[in-house]
């Protein structure tokens, strides 16, 4: 359980009812809050256990407009948080454990409090997918990582594995060449899903070796990872790679478990939107990676946050 924080005055939050409660504090959540607060709607963000979302686990962001020389992910999120607070948003670093969208006002329960809201924006994002290999759980944080930015420096001058064939895997592999001697990219198919530019950068990098049609069978070690067993699915040949770690970069799962049975989800568990950013429950909106499995960029998440905030403002004007 996290302590309540209001960085403007550091007093605990006493208000329990808000015009809008935003669940999640990534680019979508912070942008939505900047807009709703600026529109004079009493706004609460319940940030969850990783305020800032996935960008807190990123190094340099080169493609967020407005930063000609790029900006570090955590710095971008801290700045967004400060901007939301300057607009008057209350931010609580607590986790939502239950919601009740059946009656109005909506009820949102955290570990420590129950809040009420006339409208809700869900901006809970998505979480890295697990590969499901033997040893993955056992060696998590002992050589198995889901964040190259966070853990890359621990693998100086080592050989390591990156699992996946998308943009994330290529980005992580290229980033990790700063530290590691050699990167083995293990991909289950014979071609990458990653964009052409990322493929070209990875292919050009002499430190990266590709293993096609290959799956990870087992992650082994003592105190930490020291071997990974891989199998070629075309030849059935099994190989053992003597490596110090593995970075799993195979996509994400939407963080929607909390909302199952309360709002409509699609077949992959992402929130299904009904009308612009509105869910099937009138007054409950969604923004960012929690519904967007196509674009999944910081800038698109921020844009969805803006749209949800405008939709909320209109909804509140019509219903309050
Ligand atoms: P992704 O595009 O969904 O790619 C996931 C990769 O992991 C695919 O190659 C997939 O294999 C593989 N995979 C999935 N489940 C697996 C499993 N159980 N075992 C083994 N392999 C598995 O996810 P992403 O790379 O995280 O990218 C997500 C989105 O963010 C994309 O739209 C991407 O373009 C964007 N993105 C962009 C950048 C950039 O432009 N700099 C950086 C990062 C992400 P298959 O190919 O066989 O399906």
């Amino acid at each position: 359980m996290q302590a309540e924080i209001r960085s403007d005055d550091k007093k605990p939050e006493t208000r329990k009812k808000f015009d809008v409660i935003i669940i999640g504090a990534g680019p979508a959540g912070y942008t939505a809050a900047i807009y709703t607060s600026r529109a004079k709607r009493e706004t609460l963000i319940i940030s969850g256990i990783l305020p800032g979302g996935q960008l807190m686990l990123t190094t340099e962001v080169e493609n967020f407009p407005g930063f000609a020389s790029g900006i570090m992910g955590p710095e971008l999120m801290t700045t967004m948080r400060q901007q939301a607070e300057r607009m008057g948003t209350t931010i609580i670093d607590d986790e939502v454990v239950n919601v009740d969208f059946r009656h109005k006002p909506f009820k949102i329960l955290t570990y420590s409090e129950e809040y009420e809201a006339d409208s809700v924006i869900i901006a809970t994002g998505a979480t890295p997918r697990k590969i499901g290999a033997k040893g993955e759980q056992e060696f998590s944080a002992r050589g198995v990582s889901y964040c190259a930015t966070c853990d890359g420096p621990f693998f100086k001058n080592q050989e390591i594995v990156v699992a996946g064939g998308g943009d994330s895997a290529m980005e992580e592999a290229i980033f990790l060449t700063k530290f590691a001697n050699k990167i083995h990219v293990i991909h289950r198919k014979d071609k990458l899903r990653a964009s052409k530019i990322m493929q070209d950068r990875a292919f050009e990098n002499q430190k990266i070796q590709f293993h096609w049609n290959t799956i990870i069978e087992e992650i082994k070690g003592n105190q930490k990872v020291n071997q990974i067993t891989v199998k070629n699915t075309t030849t059935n040949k099994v190989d053992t790679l003597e490596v110090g770690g593995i970075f799993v970069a195979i996509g994400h799962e939407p963080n929607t478990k909390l909302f199952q049975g309360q709002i409509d989800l699609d077949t992959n568990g992402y929130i299904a939107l009904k009308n612009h950013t509105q869910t099937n429950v009138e007054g409950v909106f969604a923004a960012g990676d929690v519904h967007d499995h196509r674009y999944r960029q910081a800038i698109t998440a921020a844009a969805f946050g803006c749209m949800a905030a405008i939709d909320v403002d209109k909804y509140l004007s019509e219903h309050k």
Side-chain angles (χ1 to χ4, degrees):
M1 191 183 357
Q2 306 282 311
E4 292 179 348
I5 293 173
R6 264 201 78 156
S7 58
D8 54 350
D9 59 10
K10 303 292 178 201
K11 281 185 201 143
E13 179 55 41
T14 50
R15 176 188 281 268
K16 298 289 174 260
K17 168 92 197 296
F18 290 82
D19 294 330
V20 53
I21 291 182
I22 297 166
I23 308 174
Y30 284 139
T31 306
I34 291 165
Y35 273 77
T36 53
S37 296
R38 195 161 178 269
K40 299 280 173 252
R41 302 296 185 186
E42 286 289 348
T43 302
L44 171 70
I45 290 183
I46 304 174
S47 72
I49 48 170
L50 180 61
Q54 291 181 67
L55 279 184
M56 298 304 278
L57 313 176
T58 316
T59 44
E60 194 171 5
V61 181
E62 288 182 315
N63 51 8
F64 199 94
F67 302 94
S69 317
I71 182 167
M72 299 304 279
E75 190 188 344
L76 179 61
M77 299 322 296
T78 305
T79 310
M80 280 192 200
R81 182 176 176 121
Q82 288 165 347
Q83 192 175 355
E85 286 176 323
R86 190 168 74 82
M87 292 298 151
T89 306
T90 303
I91 302 176
I92 292 173
D93 293 324
D94 198 352
E95 196 169 1
V96 174
V97 293
N98 205 357
V99 295
D100 186 352
F101 295 155
R102 290 168 302 175
H103 310 287
K104 289 172 186 161
F106 302 121
K107 287 192 170 37
I108 295 179
L109 186 71
T110 71
Y111 274 119
S112 46
E113 291 291 349
E114 184 176 291
Y115 297 95
E116 289 184 343
D118 292 321
S119 62
V120 172
I121 298 175
I122 299 169
T124 46
T127 299
R129 203 175 276 149
K130 310 281 182 293
I131 204 145
K134 195 171 172 211
E136 181 178 17
Q137 175 81 25
E138 184 187 348
F139 289 103
S140 183
R142 293 196 291 136
V144 176
S145 172
Y146 302 88
C147 174
T149 312
C150 319
D151 302 327
F154 297 126
F155 295 87
K156 272 194 190 116
N157 304 321
Q158 296 188 33
E159 270 191 41
I160 51 177
V161 159
V162 170
D167 278 326
S168 298
M170 295 311 105
E171 197 170 68
E172 302 237 318
I174 293 162
F175 173 72
L176 288 164
T177 59
K178 286 188 195 179
F179 310 103
N181 282 340
K182 181 169 179 177
I183 315 285
H184 300 267
V185 170
I186 310 293
H187 184 39
R188 64 184 179 182
K189 289 203 181 122
D190 63 355
K191 56 176 178 293
L192 298 173
R193 180 191 288 259
S195 56
K196 172 100 174 50
I197 183 168
M198 295 301 283
Q199 292 199 24
D200 289 347
R201 282 185 197 170
F203 289 147
E204 279 164 16
N205 197 308
Q206 299 298 312
K207 283 188 172 179
I208 301 176
Q209 181 186 342
F210 286 85
H211 300 250
W212 304 109
N213 299 311
T214 302
I215 56 169
I216 290 163
E217 289 227 305
E218 190 173 354
I219 300 166
K220 298 179 191 168
N222 293 316
Q223 291 305 312
K224 69 184 284 290
V225 172
N226 58 26
Q227 273 188 350
I228 290 181
T229 312
V230 296
K231 183 167 122 181
N232 184 303
T233 52
T234 319
T235 61
N236 281 332
K237 186 170 177 286
V238 175
D239 271 325
T240 299
L241 303 172
E242 307 287 335
V243 293
I246 171 170
F247 287 81
V248 178
I250 59 167
H252 294 81
E253 297 291 343
N255 297 322
T256 50
K257 206 169 161 207
L258 202 56
F259 312 110
Q260 278 170 6
Q262 299 257 0
I263 52 172
D264 287 351
L265 307 177
D266 70 15
T267 48
N268 295 315
Y270 287 84
I271 290 179
L273 296 182
K274 196 175 166 216
N275 185 14
H276 302 289
T277 63
Q278 191 177 287
T279 68
N280 64 307
V281 178
E282 216 185 43
V284 178
F285 300 79
D289 290 14
V290 73
H291 72 81
D292 167 39
H293 43 81
R294 181 179 171 91
Y295 300 104
R296 293 188 280 207
Q297 301 298 299
I299 189 68
T300 51
F304 280 121
C306 161
M307 289 187 261
I310 290 171
D311 290 343
V312 158
D313 190 47
K314 188 164 181 289
Y315 170 81
L316 291 174
S317 299
E318 288 168 357
H319 292 84
K320 272 192 99 173

